[in-house]
């Protein structure tokens, strides 16, 4: 899965650079780490669900790799964007980074930044980030539209959805949240303890369903099922299409895959986000009721 969230129709806004300090690192899975960043009290003016960016050029250890990639690509390496899993009321900005791997025949280029952030950035490090932006947020008029939020996520696509849920529950807006979260194995579940705690603490407002695709779910709290998120499961949680807003985040068709498909006159094979959004539309939700973000 690629490093940067790609959201359609992101609004233009001025972003700021700020120097921040890494105050803690928490390993979520064997290849995924949550980084807690002290941005200062005056810099937490963001909206839950947004993202920040990190420019890899600031890390001297990446100098040779970046120079090589820029040479073969013929273009400058771009900053990487990471969704924030924190909500504005929390003391630290939190990003969760999954290490990308280079797979011959599948990956376009070796990953640049995610291995460094996941495993080799010690507590106390200072780095420069830019932020905050992104449209993957809860509208201000949400309570006029619906009281039912459906989250449809896979893998590290879970990050901004945790932020959305925490903020909603903190402000007490009355929304009910259902999370359908797909992973291959229990050990791959990011924020497992966080979601179990939310389900216990807000049992009337939160329902979590873990969908485990490659093993029988054993001792998975609070609710788990074997298999992918499918048509029947989605339909179960959309009893009334007029009273629902859906947030879908996970693997999607990457920009370079779209470009290569266009050059061949082909249509790229849909991935998780494309498949889920298509089903949501089939069940009667319109574009104003569906927010999506993919990784590429």
């Amino acid at each position: 899965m690629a490093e940067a969230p790609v959201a359609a129709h992101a609004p233009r806004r001025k972003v700021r650079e700020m120097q921040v300090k890494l105050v803690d690192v928490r390993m979520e899975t064997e290849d995924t780490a949550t980084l807690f960043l002290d941005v200062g009290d005056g810099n937490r003016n963001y909206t839950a669900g947004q993202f920040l960016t990190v420019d890899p050029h600031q890390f001297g250890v990446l100098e040779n790799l970046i120079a090589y990639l820029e040479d073969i690509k013929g273009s400058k390496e771009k900053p990487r964007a990471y969704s924030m899993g924190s909500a504005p009321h929390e003391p630290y900005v939190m990003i969760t980074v999954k290490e990308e791997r280079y797979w011959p025949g599948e990956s376009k280029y070796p990953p640049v930044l995610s291995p460094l952030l996941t495993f080799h950035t010690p507590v106390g490090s200072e780095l420069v980030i830019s932020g905050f932006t992104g449209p993957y947020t809860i509208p201000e008029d949400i309570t006029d539209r619906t009281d039912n939020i459906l989250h449809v996520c896979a893998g590290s696509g879970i990050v901004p959805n945790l932020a959305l849920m925490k903020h909603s529950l903190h402000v007490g807006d009355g929304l009910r949240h259902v999370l359908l979260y797909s992973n291959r194995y229990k050990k791959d579940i990011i924020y497992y303890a966080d979601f179990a705690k939310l389900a216990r603490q807000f049992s009337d407002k939160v329902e979590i369903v873990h969908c485990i695709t490659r093993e029988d779910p054993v001792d998975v709290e609070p609710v788990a099922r074997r298999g992918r998120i499918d048509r029947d499961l989605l339909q179960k949680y959309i009893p009334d299409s007029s009273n629902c807003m859906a947030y879908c985040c996970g693997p999607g068709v990457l920009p370079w895959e779209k470009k290569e498909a266009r050059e061949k006159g082909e249509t790229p094979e849909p991935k998780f986000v494309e498949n889920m959004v298509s089903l949501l539309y089939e069940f009667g939700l319109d574009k104003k009721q569906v927010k999506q973000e993919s990784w590429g």
Side-chain angles (χ1 to χ4, degrees), residues 141-196:
D141 64 346
I142 186 64
T143 55
D144 295 330
R145 302 190 194 186
T146 185
D147 57 4
N148 180 34
I149 306 295
L150 177 63
H151 303 262
V152 185
C153 302
S156 57
I158 193 61
V159 178
N161 291 70
L162 174 63
L164 296 176
M165 294 173 70
K166 288 191 296 185
H167 175 72
S168 170
L169 296 167
H170 174 73
V171 300
D173 54 20
L175 299 175
R176 182 174 185 274
H177 297 266
V178 173
L179 168 62
L180 309 180
Y181 184 22
S182 178
N183 285 282
R184 293 176 299 175
Y185 303 98
K186 179 185 177 182
K187 65 181 180 62
D188 296 326
I189 298 174
I190 299 172
Y191 306 143
Y192 177 80
D194 297 82
F195 285 120

Side-chain angles (χ1 to χ4, degrees), residues 76-273:
K76 185 179 177 65
E77 280 295 313
K78 297 178 180 179
R80 269 51 175 180
Y82 295 99
S83 292
M84 294 178 288
S86 54
H89 68 276
E90 296 181 301
Y92 300 118
V93 165
M94 164 183 145
I95 61 172
T96 298
V97 184
K98 180 180 176 66
E99 180 201 25
E100 290 184 286
R101 302 293 299 275
Y102 178 72
W103 303 108
E106 297 182 19
S107 306
K108 186 72 170 178
Y109 300 107
V112 175
L113 191 52
S114 64
L116 178 69
L117 293 180
T118 304
F119 294 115
H120 306 292
T121 308
V123 170
S125 298
E126 294 188 348
L127 58 152
V128 175
I129 65 171
S130 297
F132 306 99
T133 191
Y136 194 78
T137 59
I138 294 178
E140 293 183 359
D141 64 346
I142 186 64
T143 55
D144 295 330
R145 302 190 194 186
T146 185
D147 57 4
N148 180 34
I149 306 295
L150 177 63
H151 303 262
V152 185
C153 302
S156 57
I158 193 61
V159 178
N161 291 70
L162 174 63
L164 296 176
M165 294 173 70
K166 288 191 296 185
H167 175 72
S168 170
L169 296 167
H170 174 73
V171 300
D173 54 20
L175 299 175
R176 182 174 185 274
H177 297 266
V178 173
L179 168 62
L180 309 180
Y181 184 22
S182 178
N183 285 282
R184 293 176 299 175
Y185 303 98
K186 179 185 177 182
K187 65 181 180 62
D188 296 326
I189 298 174
I190 299 172
Y191 306 143
Y192 177 80
D194 297 82
F195 285 120
K197 181 179 179 181
L198 287 178
R200 290 192 300 267
Q201 187 176 355
F202 300 96
S203 58
D204 60 332
K205 296 296 182 185
V206 174
E207 184 173 354
I208 310 293
V209 180
H210 290 291
C211 301
I212 310 299
T213 64
R214 296 193 182 180
E215 67 180 3
D216 291 329
V218 178
D219 298 325
V220 179
E221 183 186 355
V223 177
R225 66 192 291 272
R226 174 71 184 264
R228 302 179 184 276
I229 302 172
D230 57 20
R231 182 185 301 271
D232 291 340
L233 184 63
L234 280 174
Q235 194 165 31
K236 175 181 177 181
Y237 290 103
I238 310 177
D240 178 5
S241 62
S242 67
N243 182 29
C244 181
M245 187 157 181
Y247 287 79
C248 181
C249 191
V253 179
L254 305 180
W256 67 266
E257 293 173 321
K258 294 178 182 178
K259 181 180 178 181
E260 287 193 350
R262 284 196 304 268
E263 291 172 351
K264 297 177 182 178
E266 300 174 351
T267 301
E269 187 72 21
K271 296 185 180 180
F272 176 83
V273 168

